[in-house]
Structure formats: structure tokens, C-alpha cells
Amino acid sequence: MPEIDAAKLKEIYTNMVKIRFFEERAITEHRKGLPGFVHSSIGQEAVPAGVCAFLREDDYTITTHRGHGDIIAKGAQLDRMMAELFAKKTGYCKGKGGSMHIADVSRNILGATGIVGDGLPIAAGVGAALKMQKLDTIMVAFFGDGSTNSGAFHEGIGLAAAWSLPVLFVCQNNQYQQSTPTRDYTRLTDIADRAKGYGIPGISVDGNDAIAVAEVAREAIEKCRKGEGPIFIVANTYRTVGHHMGDPGTSYRPKEEIEEWKKKDPIKRLRQQMVQNKTATDAELDEIEQNVLRELDEAVKFAQESPEPTPEEALEDIYA
Ligand SMILES: Cc1ncc(C[n+]2csc(CCOP(=O)(O)OP(=O)(O)O)c2C)c(N)n1
Ligand SMILES: [Mg+2]
């Protein structure tokens, strides 16, 4: 495989910064009093940015309650996402979905589900549709380590394996299922070993190393496109913040553990790698960050100034 080129690395860096700043801003704005919950993915940015770097626009994705990053990396607009968090009419779901249900069907971002594990059977269904249409488009399901304990995980991955569907399963192993550490719910030390039960490849990767994630994902995506799917990737990472914004995340995790993972910050790491390889200068990367901050200011302004949905709209776009 050729090395990942400079333009692609800058794209990955930009997406990671977008995710980090979006999450930070979302927490700040929520503390001022927005409805709903925010589950932040701070610390996990290398996973979606690395995986989505080699996806095409027509590839499909689905994610979870902690899905902002996966949605941003697939190309969603920050202003419409922010408006959704603000419960405004201009939001991706017209303000009725909130943080946990953002979808951008125009970019084949099929959305998110707050029900742990429930994205996997949906992914298998989409994968089956793609296969029946003989397309080389693929489906990517992002989910957490805790999801691998749900029945839906086994149903989804089992069917995708039995029918050789073009689905890439990406587990973001942030070491905790809410407050339960992985060692308390499985004997496995590598969650990727669960793939063996389905006879499909299971690949474990350092989820704080964006380049490593992108390389593993690129190969897996190509294989899925050629009909060699499904493939299960486990990216080992950490959320350096609490489970959601109301959880300080310190009662069930040792302080030292959080500090250790903060030292492995994926954004700092990629910056170091890029500057060392002379892929970019610090000044160029600073400029990327400044541009993203400006984009976020505009996104928040757009959300603040957007109209609220009217009461009559509550009954539109729903099934009964
Ligand atoms: C079926 C189901 N059970 C329980 C919950 C409550 N819940 C929300 S998030 C979560 C933890 C999920 O852990 P993991 O899959 O590792 O994702 P993470 O939050 O770490 O990103 C739980 C138990 C839920 N939303 N759905
Ligand atoms: Mg988890």
C-alpha cells in the first residue's frame, strides 16, 4: 500500500480538529441550557477521521449516542449539526432529533441510534441491499465496545458474515461501557477476537494513532468493496471526558488512567508525526485550527439565530 499522502493527512487532521472543537463547543453550549444530552467523543477522534478518510461519499454510515465525530468525519455540516443540538428548525432533523439522532441522508449518513448495539442489524440490512444491487458501495457501522455484549451485535454481525455482506464493523473501544470497564464484562483481552466466532477477520488497531487507523481502514474498505466483507475492526482508544456531560467520569476511573490517556492525545500525536515527516508545518496546522474555530463560531451563530419549530410541526415526519 502506498503511504498516505500529505493532502489526505491534512484532511484527517482537519476532521479531528473539527470533531474536538465541535465537542468542546457542544459541551459549553449545553451547559448554558440546551435540551437533551451530549455524549462527547473527546479523545476518540482518530477513529472516525481515520476510517472516513478512505470512504467515498456514496458509502453509508450509521453510529451511536456518541456519534458526533462519526457524522462530522463523513462530511456533515457543523452549522446544521449545531442547529440540531439547539433544537432549531434548520437542524438536520428539524430540531426534533437532538444530539443522539443526527442524520444527513444526502451524504448517506443514515443517522444514529441511542439503543446500544442497534446500528448493527440496520447495517446488515443496508449491506444486504447493496449486495443485491451489485454495487461496490459499502456500509460502515460505528459502535462502542459495550455494544459487543448486546444481542443486536451478534445478530447483525452474524448475518453479515453468513451472507458475506459489504459491511465494515468499527468498534470504538474506549475501555468502558458507561461505568463498567471491559475487564468486568468479557474474559477477552482483545475484543477483535469476537470476530473468530463468525469466521471473519478481526483487526485490532491503536485507536489513538490516526495514521494506523487510516491504513487499516483503507485495506478493509477495499476488501469490502471487492466482496471480501464483512470485516471487524476494533480501535482501542479512550474518552478523556465523562460518559455524558453530566458525568465527570472520575468516580469509576482512576485519575492516573485518565492522565495517561491524555498524554496519548491523538491530535497532538498526528501533529507531531506530520511536523516530523515535514507533511505540514506547525503554522499550517495552526491555520487549520483557526479556520475550524471560525467555522464553529459561525455554526453557533447560525444555530442561535435559526427559528424554533412550530408546535404544529411536532406531528410532521413521524410514523404512527
Ligand atoms: C439497549 C440499551 N441498554 C442500555 C442503554 C444505556 N446506555 C447508554 S450508553 C451505554 C454504554 C454503551 O457503552 P459502549 O457501547 O461502550 O459505548 P460508549 O458509551 O462507551 O461510547 C449504556 C449502557 C442503552 N442506551 N441501550
Ligand atoms: Mg465504550
Side-chain angles (χ1 to χ4, degrees):
M1 282 262 178
E3 271 195 19
I4 299 175
D5 65 34
K8 190 57 87 181
L9 286 177
K10 280 182 198 161
E11 180 192 312
I12 294 173
Y13 189 83
T14 307
N15 275 330
M16 287 171 72
V17 167
K18 270 191 191 177
I19 298 167
R20 173 71 55 92
F21 290 169
F22 182 90
E23 296 287 40
E24 288 176 347
R25 196 67 189 260
I27 293 172
T28 308
E29 296 302 323
H30 262 266
R31 293 221 163 104
K32 292 184 203 161
L34 295 180
F37 273 106
V38 165
H39 299 79
S40 158
S41 64
I42 291 175
Q44 304 184 192
E45 298 88 349
V47 187
V51 170
C52 292
F54 290 101
L55 289 182
R56 296 195 314 230
E57 189 148 326
D58 63 321
D59 290 325
Y60 289 84
T61 58
I62 190 159
T63 182
T64 68
H65 57 284
R66 201 177 303 289
H68 298 160
D70 308 333
I71 292 164
I72 291 171
K74 185 66 173 41
Q77 292 166 232
L78 301 187
D79 53 357
R80 294 200 58 202
M81 285 182 69
M82 197 57 87
E84 190 57 38
L85 265 52
F86 274 67
K88 294 296 182 78
K89 196 170 174 160
T90 53
Y92 268 120
C93 304
K94 302 183 188 174
K96 292 188 263 186
S99 160
M100 276 186 267
H101 303 100
I102 298 176
D104 181 356
V105 180
S106 74
R107 290 182 173 84
N108 289 359
I109 300 169
L110 297 182
T113 157
I115 308 301
V116 170
D118 269 13
L120 283 101
I122 297 173
V126 175
L130 295 172
K131 186 168 179 175
M132 287 167 81
Q133 293 171 84
K134 299 188 172 27
L135 297 173
D136 71 347
T137 308
I138 73 156
M139 171 74 209
V140 180
F142 291 104
F143 51 90
D145 52 286
S147 313
T148 66
N149 298 316
S150 72
F153 167 86
H154 299 281
E155 290 165 18
I157 211 162
L159 191 69
W163 288 358
S164 302
L165 301 179
V167 184
L168 181 59
F169 293 98
V170 180
C171 172
Q172 306 199 27
N173 175 17
N174 59 11
Q175 321 295 328
Y176 286 85
Q177 171 184 259
Q178 200 148 341
S179 52
T180 308
T182 48
R183 64 176 175 278
D184 283 2
Y185 65 69
T186 176
R187 285 192 186 196
L188 298 175
T189 49
D190 184 357
I191 291 177
D193 283 345
R194 290 202 158 162
K196 286 182 191 156
Y198 298 101
I200 64 167
I203 306 158
S204 210
V205 64
D206 180 347
N208 279 36
D209 181 346
I211 296 178
V213 174
E215 279 171 347
V216 161
R218 174 167 59 176
E219 204 176 328
I221 289 164
E222 278 181 25
K223 284 190 174 158
C224 286
R225 263 196 224 302
K226 284 192 289 188
E228 294 169 28
I231 294 175
F232 182 39
I233 293 178
V234 178
N236 300 292
T237 181
Y238 199 80
R239 58 169 162 75
T240 53
V241 289
H243 175 68
H244 54 58
M245 82 241 179
D247 164 32
T250 47
S251 61
Y252 52 90
R253 306 190 302 182
K255 244 196 199 121
E256 302 75 46
E257 181 183 289
I258 302 172
E259 290 312 312
E260 269 316 299
W261 278 95
K262 277 187 180 167
K263 285 188 206 147
K264 299 187 223 172
D265 186 311
I267 298 182
K268 281 192 193 141
R269 183 151 164 198
L270 182 58
R271 178 184 270 258
Q272 256 170 11
Q273 288 164 318
M274 289 173 77
V275 172
Q276 250 165 26
N277 302 344
K278 302 202 184 326
T279 309
T281 61
D282 272 313
E284 280 175 291
L285 299 176
D286 287 344
E287 195 186 333
I288 288 177
E289 295 191 7
Q290 289 312 314
N291 288 340
V292 171
L293 283 175
R294 259 194 300 278
E295 191 181 344
L296 265 168
D297 282 341
E298 281 160 25
V300 171
K301 189 164 181 277
F302 171 79
Q304 285 167 336
E305 291 173 358
S306 289
E308 309 224 332
T310 59
E312 300 76 58
E313 285 170 66
L315 297 178
E316 289 172 9
D317 309 310
I318 57 169
Y319 296 95

